[in-house]
Amino acid sequence: MAKRKTYSAKFKSKVALDAIRGDLTLSELASKYGVNPNMITRWKKQAVDGMEGTFSKRGQARRDASDEARIKELHAKIGELTVERDFLSKAFGR
């Protein structure tokens, strides 16, 4: 049984961008990149749907909230490591 091919996000975005440009037909793109035209159509749709979130305020707010959560997490980790370093430096007399 043949194994399914997996494509990188970079490759998918390159193919989707070419499909959005519309310089070549789907069948020409399929033969150029060696993928099924249905896959190109699916990647193009995902790319177009993803662009809407990029330009919407809701998508920006969601990214900002996740960034702030990550920043809080990283600050907590920095605090942990600082306390640990101070404790160890006192324990070893440095």
Side-chain angles (χ1 to χ4, degrees), residues 19-42:
I20 290 169
R21 283 189 188 130
D23 295 338
L24 301 173
T25 65
L26 275 178
S27 56
E28 290 172 334
L29 286 171
S31 63
K32 177 180 176 182
Y33 292 109
V35 296
N36 191 306
N38 293 332
M39 292 177 85
I40 295 174
T41 303
R42 193 174 331 133

Side-chain angles (χ1 to χ4, degrees), residues 4-17:
R4 286 185 177 215
K5 276 189 169 182
T6 56
Y7 301 99
S8 69
K10 186 176 182 177
F11 177 77
K12 290 177 183 180
S13 62
K14 181 177 156 182
V15 174
L17 187 58

Side-chain angles (χ1 to χ4, degrees), residues 1 7 15 17 27 35 48 51 59 62 69 76 80-81 87 94:
M1 195 185 286
Y7 301 99
V15 174
L17 187 58
S27 56
V35 296
V48 170
M51 277 191 263
R62 191 176 318 128
E80 257 181 62
L81 293 173
F87 173 78
R94 292 187 183 163

Side-chain angles (χ1 to χ4, degrees), residues 43-72:
W43 295 342
K44 179 181 173 182
K45 183 177 180 337
Q46 287 175 346
V48 170
D49 291 346
M51 277 191 263
E52 181 181 328
T54 302
F55 295 110
S56 73
K57 290 185 180 187
R58 209 172 13 157
Q60 182 65 33
R62 191 176 318 128
R63 276 194 306 277
D64 290 345
S66 68
D67 289 347
E68 290 203 19
R70 181 74 175 145
I71 289 170
K72 283 184 180 181

